[in-house]
Amino acid sequence: ANIFIVRAADEHEYIKVLDFGIAKVENYEELNERLTNAGTTLGTPFYMSPEQIQGMEVDGRTDIYALGVIFWECLFGTPPFVGKTLIETFKATIRNSLPKLPAPERNKHVCKQIYKILTKTIKKDRNKRYESIQAFMRDLESLKSQTASLERPPNTTPTSLPVPHFERISQI
């Protein structure tokens, strides 16, 4: 597990994400040979970007892809691309479109905005993803300010969680 909750000196809890970008497939022939060896691990396949899987150069946008998959899984309960085998998962990551947005019961606009943000983080073409974590955070902050005045369901208490502080996303 590469996601940790840490308590800061101010007593707030923050999320820290560690070790993105450690897996890279050099070529498919090597991948197929390595997969035949029992116990071989390449990384966490659900969070690997298409460029990682295909052995291309990786950069900070690869980390943004993985973070988008994590957010997707937090919101919808499963990563966006899942196959029965490792190869099927890799193929789905490279070829399949994102699943459609589940029908929202409330706040349709908010759901569409979240989906739009997530879609940009999980683009197949890294040149169409957020260019930086700061750009991604700006869109999240904008959504947060847009939704601050939304009506809350009765008998609920609003909670305020600190926005995760990204000191540094790993440089690959």
Side-chain angles (χ1 to χ4, degrees), residues 37-93:
N37 297 329
T40 300
T41 304
L42 298 171
T44 309
F46 302 123
Y47 309 100
M48 291 175 67
S49 67
E51 63 270 15
Q52 276 181 296
I53 293 168
Q54 297 177 80
M56 301 168 134
E57 285 295 314
V58 295
D59 57 26
R61 294 169 296 182
T62 302
D63 295 335
I64 291 168
Y65 179 93
L67 187 58
V69 172
I70 290 167
F71 279 18
W72 181 280
E73 187 173 7
C74 288
L75 290 170
F76 303 117
T78 183
F81 307 111
V82 179
K84 292 179 182 176
T85 66
L86 180 63
I87 295 295
E88 284 182 17
T89 297
F90 283 168
K91 285 180 181 178
T93 300

Side-chain angles (χ1 to χ4, degrees), residues 123-138:
K123 290 281 188 194
K124 305 287 184 199
D125 179 352
R126 66 177 151 201
N127 294 318
K128 295 181 180 177
R129 287 183 213 140
Y130 287 99
E131 69 278 1
S132 68
I133 196 67
Q134 292 79 13
F136 177 48
M137 293 302 292
R138 275 193 301 273

Side-chain angles (χ1 to χ4, degrees), residues 25-33 50 53-55 90 94:
V25 176
E26 294 298 326
N27 63 53
Y28 284 108
E29 292 78 27
E30 180 183 327
L31 171 65
N32 286 328
E33 287 175 26
I53 293 168
Q54 297 177 80
F90 283 168
I94 294 167

